[in-house]
């Protein structure tokens, strides 16, 4: 998911010597996570649709699969399928298998779609959340239900959120919607994270979490944190379907103190805050990026949680000086146990002050995507420190140790905003910023790449 990016010219540097991985202790919307026992290929599949690389910057924010069809949404205006250029507004869909034929679906959204979700396996209708005021010529506000054949808005579902909707997930007859909104479809009862009826869009009272708070602090230079209003930004259902990770800008959720990331227990009648508590996320990163826990993923057996962060560098203390070793959880890939109660990281792998925006995992590999230049870079900030390895755009890490195990490379662009594992392999959603179109060393993959 996207909010604040740091655009830094790419520098390809390889320095191999010492490990840059800090180790402590031992080692949803799409299909179920892959249980592959070996990493995906470094060579992308040919023939997948792509963003047009000329003109304005386009970005795919999320990709999901429903039935045999893939759906991609974001800030999208034109895509290419082979040599054919197609106009698409906010999203497009295509076959999940070769030759990846693009469908006629064109929702014609006049803004950005951040999230797409489906309910109970019904692929005839999709729920869109983002920042927009019109879908297929119909006035809506930041949320809508859309027919996946015609692109038309489904009028029975209310379509009015007071601010941006960043994430929607379908779960057991509920739509769990998070964002910056204070009211949604006539209800102000559960701001920022609300459960909606898939039929009406009304609050169905499944969530009552009282989310509140934001981050107020200064760095060592006494620079205050940038404006960071309360919001729910991202979420990930466990593979078992009983828990939900939630990331956002908050300090309390369900009456419990939590900063940036929390785990919910999904009961039959209501959700509650789990005892899982990663207090390392209480530390502050750079004042320009006060919210930095942007994405997370579950291991296939739900025993481990992987987190991808932005943040640049700590606001205070160890790691604040760019010339000192990295510290904290800023601009890093990290793994935590999912056990209830206070937890600390199992390992951290630093990028050296470049952002990561997405992560997903199978049994063999934890995959991370962003606009990073390096991995294993605990001794550098915007330079390749001792032990750094060039790994632009994405990296595959060992679930046990966090060491680099897969390095296909990808054009950095703005950054890989979403990853999805299906039976076909690893789908990577990205963008065409500055003409970015390379994945796995192969050109022609702007905005979308499949590593089979």
């Amino acid at each position: 998911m996207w909010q604040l990016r740091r655009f830094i010219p790419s520098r390809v540097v390889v320095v191999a010597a010492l490990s840059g991985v800090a180790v402590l202790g031992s080692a949803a919307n799409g299909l179920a996570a892959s249980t592959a026992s070996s990493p995906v290929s470094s060579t992308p599949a040919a023939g997948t649709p792509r963003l047009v690389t000329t003109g304005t910057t386009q970005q795919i924010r999320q990709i999901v699969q429903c039935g045999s069809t893939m759906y991609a949404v974001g800030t999208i205006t034109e895509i290419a399928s082979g040599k054919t250029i197609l106009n698409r507004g906010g999203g497009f869909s295509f076959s999940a298998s070769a030759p990846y034929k693009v469908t006629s679906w064109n929702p014609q959204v006049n803004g950005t779609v951040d999230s797409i979700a489906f309910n109970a396996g019904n692929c005839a209708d999709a729920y869109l959340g983002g920042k927009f005021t019109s879908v297929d010529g119909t006035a809506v506000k930041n949320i809508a239900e859309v027919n996946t054949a015609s692109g038309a808005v489904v009028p029975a579902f209310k379509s009015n959120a007071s601010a941006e909707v960043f994430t929607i997930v379908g779960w057991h007859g509920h739509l769990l919607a998070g964002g910056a909104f204070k009211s949604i479809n006539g209800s102000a009862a559960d701001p920022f994270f609300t459960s909606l009826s898939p039929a009406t869009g009304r609050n169905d009272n499944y969530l009552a979490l009282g989310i509140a708070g934001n981050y107020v602090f200064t760095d060592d230079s006494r620079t205050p944190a940038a404006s960071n209003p309360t919001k729910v930004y991202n979420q990930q259902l466990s593979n078992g379907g009983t828990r939900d990770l939630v990331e956002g800008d908050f300090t309390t959720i369900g009456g419990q103190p939590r900063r940036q990331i929390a785990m919910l227990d999904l009961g039959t009648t209501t959700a509650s805050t789990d005892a899982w508590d990663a207090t390392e996320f209480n530390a502050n990163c750079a004042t320009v990026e006060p919210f930095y826990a942007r994405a997370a993923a579950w291991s296939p057996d739900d025993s481990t949680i992987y987190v991808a962060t932005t943040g640049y560098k700590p606001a205070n203390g160890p790691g604040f000086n760019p010339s000192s070793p990295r510290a904290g959880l800023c601009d890093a890939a990290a793994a935590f146990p999912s056990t209830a109660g206070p937890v600390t990281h199992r390992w951290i792998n630093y990028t050296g002050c470049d952002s990561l925006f997405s992560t997903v995992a199978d049994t063999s590999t934890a995959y991370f995507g962003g606009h990073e230049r390096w991995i294993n870079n605990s001794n550098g900030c915007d330079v390749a420190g001792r032990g750094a390895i060039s790994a632009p755009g994405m990296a595959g890490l060992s679930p046990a140790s966090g060491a680099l195990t897969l390095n296909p490379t990808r054009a950095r662009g703005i950054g890989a905003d979403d990853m999805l594992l299906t039976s076909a392999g690893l789908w990577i959603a990205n963008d065409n910023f500055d003409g970015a179109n390379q994945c796995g060393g192969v050109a022609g993959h702007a905005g979308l790449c499949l590593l089979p």
Side-chain angles (χ1 to χ4, degrees), residues 126-146:
Y127 300 89
L128 307 181
K131 188 174 184 179
F132 49 79
T133 58
S134 174
V135 175
D136 195 40
T138 300
V140 295
K141 191 174 181 182
N142 304 321
I143 190 168
E145 181 181 1
V146 178

Side-chain angles (χ1 to χ4, degrees), residues 31-42:
L31 300 181
S34 169
T35 57
S37 58
S38 59
V40 297
S41 170
S42 292

Side-chain angles (χ1 to χ4, degrees), residues 223-262:
T223 302
S227 175
N228 59 108
T230 308
K231 61 178 174 284
V232 167
Y233 185 72
N234 210 346
Q235 62 179 314
Q236 304 83 30
L237 289 175
S238 65
N239 295 299
T242 59
R243 293 179 290 176
D244 192 21
L245 280 170
V246 177
E247 298 88 54
D249 200 321
F250 49 76
T251 56
T252 62
I253 183 168
Q256 301 299 312
R258 298 289 188 273
R259 281 187 57 158
Q260 303 203 70
I261 186 168

Side-chain angles (χ1 to χ4, degrees), residues 177-190:
F181 55 83
K182 293 184 179 180
S183 65
I184 187 167
N185 292 339
S187 174
D190 300 305

Side-chain angles (χ1 to χ4, degrees), residues 33-417:
S34 169
T35 57
S37 58
S38 59
V40 297
S41 170
S42 292
T43 303
T48 52
R50 62 196 186 278
L51 300 177
V52 173
T53 54
T54 57
T56 60
T57 297
Q58 300 183 72
Q59 182 182 31
I60 296 177
R61 300 294 318 281
Q62 189 177 31
I63 183 166
V64 304
Q65 181 171 351
C66 193
S68 60
T69 303
M70 306 297 300
Y71 294 84
V73 296
T75 306
I76 300 167
T77 55
E78 281 189 318
I79 66 168
S81 178
K83 296 181 179 180
T84 304
I85 305 300
L86 301 168
N87 293 320
R88 292 292 185 269
F92 62 95
S93 62
F94 58 96
S95 172
S97 58
Y100 311 108
K101 182 180 179 180
V102 175
T103 75
S104 61
W105 185 61
N106 182 8
Q108 299 183 62
V109 181
N110 72 341
T112 296
V113 183
D114 296 311
S115 188
I116 180 171
F118 295 89
N119 175 52
N122 172 27
C123 300
D125 298 292
Y127 300 89
L128 307 181
K131 188 174 184 179
F132 49 79
T133 58
S134 174
V135 175
D136 195 40
T138 300
V140 295
K141 191 174 181 182
N142 304 321
I143 190 168
E145 181 181 1
V146 178
N147 184 282
T148 56
S150 67
V153 170
V154 178
F157 184 87
K158 300 301 179 183
S159 306
N160 191 333
S162 64
E164 192 163 1
V165 177
F166 289 112
T167 174
I168 307 176
V169 165
W171 181 82
H172 286 215
H174 304 281
L175 295 177
L176 309 182
F181 55 83
K182 293 184 179 180
S183 65
I184 187 167
N185 292 339
S187 174
D190 300 305
F192 313 117
F193 198 40
T194 305
S195 177
L196 304 174
S197 162
T200 67
R202 300 289 192 185
N203 188 339
D204 63 14
N205 300 310
Y206 176 71
L207 295 177
L209 296 170
I211 294 172
N214 63 340
Y215 316 133
V216 180
F217 62 93
T218 60
D219 65 14
D220 277 358
S221 303
R222 312 313 298 167
T223 302
S227 175
N228 59 108
T230 308
K231 61 178 174 284
V232 167
Y233 185 72
N234 210 346
Q235 62 179 314
Q236 304 83 30
L237 289 175
S238 65
N239 295 299
T242 59
R243 293 179 290 176
D244 192 21
L245 280 170
V246 177
E247 298 88 54
D249 200 321
F250 49 76
T251 56
T252 62
I253 183 168
Q256 301 299 312
R258 298 289 188 273
R259 281 187 57 158
Q260 303 203 70
I261 186 168
M263 185 187 295
L264 302 181
D265 293 321
L266 302 178
T268 55
T269 59
T270 189
S272 59
T273 305
D274 189 270
W276 184 86
D277 188 8
T279 57
E280 287 169 275
F281 286 102
N282 293 350
N284 298 317
C285 288
T287 56
V288 294
E289 294 183 74
F291 164 54
Y292 55 90
R294 298 300 177 87
W298 298 84
S299 64
D301 64 1
D302 289 337
S303 66
T304 303
I305 291 165
Y306 305 100
V307 185
T309 73
T310 63
Y312 190 45
K313 62 186 182 67
N316 310 93
F320 173 74
N321 189 324
S323 63
S324 63
R326 300 299 89 222
L329 290 168
C330 312
D331 277 356
F336 292 83
S338 66
T339 50
V343 296
T344 55
H345 69 267
R346 288 175 171 167
W347 51 257
I348 302 176
N349 194 321
Y350 292 104
T351 64
C353 300
D354 283 341
S355 294
L356 296 173
F357 303 115
S358 58
T359 179
V360 72
D362 57 27
T363 58
S364 74
T365 308
Y367 305 94
F368 290 84
H371 70 199
E372 84 287 358
R373 290 163 285 179
W374 306 284
I375 209 73
N376 281 33
N377 196 9
S378 60
N379 296 302
C381 182
D382 286 334
V383 297
R386 187 179 70 256
I389 301 173
S390 177
M394 70 164 293
L397 306 182
S398 162
S401 67
L404 182 69
T405 58
L406 179 72
N407 190 7
T409 76
R410 188 191 61 79
R412 294 170 62 222
I414 297 172
D417 219 37

